[in-house]
Amino acid sequence: MTNTVFSYGESHCRSVGCIVDGVPPGMKLDESDIQPQMTRRRPGQSAITTPRDEKDRVEIQSGTEFGVTLGTPIGMRVLNENQRPKDYGNSTMDLYPRPSHADWTYLEKYGVKASSGGGRSSARETIGRVAAGAIAEKYLRLSHGIEIVAFTSAIGHEHLYPPTKEHPTPSTNPEFLALIDSITREEVDAHLPVRVPNNETQKRMENLIAEFRDKHDSIGGTVTCVIRNCPSGLGEPCFDKLEASLAHAMLSIPATKGFEIGSGFGGTKVPGSIHNDPFIVAPAAATANQTGAAAAGYSRPKLTTKTNNSGGIQGGISNGAHIYFTVGFKPPATIGQAQETVQYNESSGVLEAKGRHDPCVVPRAIPIVESMAALVIMDAVMAQSARMMARSLLPPLPNVISVKDAAQADADARAEQQMVMEEKPANASP
């Protein structure tokens, strides 16, 4: 059983949305479970986002009855209420593929493209992802106590935790580790409009975005995301390792250009003696004891790691520690500055793009990153749950012992060897 999502819609069509198949039956669900993330993603939130005024009100069309999931496909729709295709239907915009946009590549692939906005490459497409991710998040929270929180970690050259010689990667920085251990969405949203959980950094980043906006330019940045209370054993080696699935999901988001997990690229500057994560006995997790998984007998991991440079995944499989990663977003491609480029007919010219666009997508990308993370973990949980259920129906193999039994057998063997050594005569030959 898998959780399958089909999104539909373009930037300026009548509606956008998705169909989600594979949601378990019997879960309470209505629009109020989905709307908060939709509102966090919507345009027009502040002076440093696009002025397009969409309310992004989600409507559940199918798959629930009396506020309970039926186990059948869930259809969701959001009307495009403030689309302005005329911004794109002028003599200038029709002549040029926008630099670093998808106009040219979509035309090359399909032989036709949407004449307004970015079509399927527009960020409006991510509405379906966020709606589907909100459903996955609710299930993961109820079943395993999983928490997913993302925040802005860099805008241009401004970093929340800039790399230093002592800490070339945030994974060795105690302040960063303390942050991802406790950060909540409420704390992130208390630092609008940039959503970076630090007052001084927030102001610098906001000013930097405003500076590029006023120059009719754009700027990129990074989003860091943490997944807490994730069970161990998730991931499907070798080609669908958990970090590979996360990278695939994140790099499918419009405008993404990079992905790193755990220590990331900064970890290449750390020696193995520091980078290795020693194992320790895991403390009890109070939140997990109240979940459906605990009630069903799914135990929490008995071990965890003293450090977490691995980012909660080893060998492509979750180890029960916090999973954290960072996603890089490029500067938005559509800017108001005049750009020398080439028309579709191969003649040179100057493009001054029109329309309403974000000078930086990072603050609005945060719920999208959270949603895609939820969809990946949902798939992994369902795959592992199916495997564990199938295994539980088989009779135990006589020649296979558990980790606990293996440890006891090892201890017994050592005790027997010690006893033999103590009983051995002192003058006996070796």
Side-chain angles (χ1 to χ4, degrees), residues 139 144 234 298 380-391:
Y139 177 82
H144 290 84
L234 304 186
Y298 289 86
V381 163
M382 295 178 79
Q384 184 65 5
S385 296
R387 178 181 287 105
M388 294 171 66
M389 175 58 71
R391 179 183 176 184

Side-chain angles (χ1 to χ4, degrees), residues 191-207:
H191 292 82
L192 289 170
V194 183
R195 290 194 169 107
V196 57
N198 180 282
N199 290 328
E200 293 182 5
T201 308
Q202 150 88 11
K203 193 62 179 175
R204 293 198 305 271
M205 290 182 175
E206 183 178 359
N207 290 339

Side-chain angles (χ1 to χ4, degrees), residues 204-226:
R204 293 198 305 271
M205 290 182 175
E206 183 178 359
N207 290 339
L208 184 61
I209 296 173
E211 177 185 336
F212 282 93
R213 176 205 62 200
D214 294 344
K215 294 188 295 187
H216 302 287
D217 210 338
S218 61
I219 189 66
T222 61
V223 172
T224 295
C225 183
V226 59

Side-chain angles (χ1 to χ4, degrees), residues 31 34 123 165 221 230 243-244 250 264 297 299 341 347 352 357 407 425:
E31 285 87 349
I34 302 164
K165 185 176 180 180
C230 189
E243 69 262 50
M250 297 306 147
S299 60
T341 184
S347 62
E352 292 187 40
H357 305 280

Side-chain angles (χ1 to χ4, degrees), residues 406-428:
Q408 185 60 52
D410 184 62
D412 292 344
R414 289 176 182 274
E416 183 178 353
Q417 185 180 29
Q418 182 65 28
M419 187 181 300
V420 170
M421 294 297 293
E422 291 175 352
E423 293 176 353
K424 194 174 185 179
N427 59 354

Side-chain angles (χ1 to χ4, degrees), residues 6-7 32 44 74 91 149 151 176 184 248 266 282 288 291 319 359 410:
F6 299 91
S7 71
S32 66
I74 297 176
S91 59
V149 182
F151 54 90
F176 170 80
T184 65
H248 185 179
T291 65
N319 63 12
D410 184 62

Side-chain angles (χ1 to χ4, degrees), residues 34-343:
I34 302 164
Q35 191 60 49
Q37 283 290 75
M38 305 295 286
T39 300
R40 296 177 80 217
R41 195 220 70 92
R42 66 176 288 269
Q45 295 183 35
S46 72
I48 60 170
T49 62
T50 171
R52 180 170 175 171
D53 186 17
E54 296 281 3
K55 304 307 178 188
D56 287 353
R57 300 180 184 91
V58 65
E59 303 171 359
I60 296 177
Q61 304 288 299
S62 65
T64 67
E65 189 175 47
F66 307 118
V68 176
T69 58
L70 300 174
T72 54
I74 297 176
M76 291 177 285
R77 180 184 73 164
V78 170
L79 295 177
N80 280 334
E81 299 176 324
N82 191 227
Q83 70 268 48
R84 285 185 359 200
K86 63 180 182 294
D87 285 349
Y88 302 86
N90 57 64
S91 59
T92 301
M93 294 288 281
D94 280 346
L95 299 177
Y96 293 88
R98 288 169 293 175
S100 288
H101 217 296
D103 299 335
W104 175 249
T105 52
Y106 262 69
L107 186 61
E108 285 289 281
K109 182 173 182 64
Y110 297 106
V112 65
K113 73 172 188 69
S115 61
S116 60
R120 287 289 284 169
S121 67
S122 167
R124 292 296 289 168
E125 178 272 331
T126 62
I127 284 176
R129 304 172 186 235
V130 173
I135 296 175
E137 275 196 80
K138 180 165 187 179
Y139 177 82
L140 295 172
R141 183 174 63 253
L142 294 175
S143 64
H144 290 84
I146 292 174
E147 301 170 340
I148 303 174
V149 182
F151 54 90
T152 299
S153 49
I155 299 291
H157 60 265
E158 295 287 355
H159 291 259
L160 178 59
Y161 295 103
T164 65
K165 185 176 180 180
E166 182 182 8
H167 299 299
T169 167
S171 71
T172 63
N173 189 328
E175 291 185 16
F176 170 80
L177 297 173
L179 177 70
I180 64 172
D181 196 48
S182 61
I183 188 71
T184 65
R185 287 185 184 171
E186 291 73 21
E187 291 172 326
V188 172
D189 286 351
H191 292 82
L192 289 170
V194 183
R195 290 194 169 107
V196 57
N198 180 282
N199 290 328
E200 293 182 5
T201 308
Q202 150 88 11
K203 193 62 179 175
R204 293 198 305 271
M205 290 182 175
E206 183 178 359
N207 290 339
L208 184 61
I209 296 173
E211 177 185 336
F212 282 93
R213 176 205 62 200
D214 294 344
K215 294 188 295 187
H216 302 287
D217 210 338
S218 61
I219 189 66
T222 61
V223 172
T224 295
C225 183
V226 59
I227 307 171
R228 297 190 291 254
N229 298 325
C230 189
S232 59
L234 304 186
E236 303 298 320
C238 290
F239 300 107
D240 293 318
K241 294 178 178 181
L242 191 56
E243 69 262 50
S245 296
L246 285 168
H248 185 179
M250 297 306 147
L251 293 176
S252 75
I253 300 172
T256 52
K257 284 296 180 184
F259 175 88
E260 59 180 6
I261 188 164
S263 62
F265 293 108
T268 63
K269 304 172 184 177
V270 178
S273 56
I274 296 175
H275 194 275
N276 286 347
D277 297 320
F279 286 98
I280 60 173
V281 176
T287 55
N289 294 333
Q290 303 169 4
T291 65
Y298 289 86
S299 60
R300 298 291 297 173
K302 296 178 176 61
L303 299 180
T304 187
T305 55
K306 185 177 181 180
T307 55
N308 191 14
N309 292 299
S310 302
I313 301 174
Q314 293 168 325
I317 302 171
S318 62
N319 63 12
H322 295 341
I323 297 172
Y324 64 93
F325 56 87
T326 297
V327 186
F329 288 83
K330 69 172 184 175
T334 306
I335 60 175
Q337 289 187 15
Q339 301 175 84
E340 292 186 4
T341 184
V342 173
Q343 300 180 16

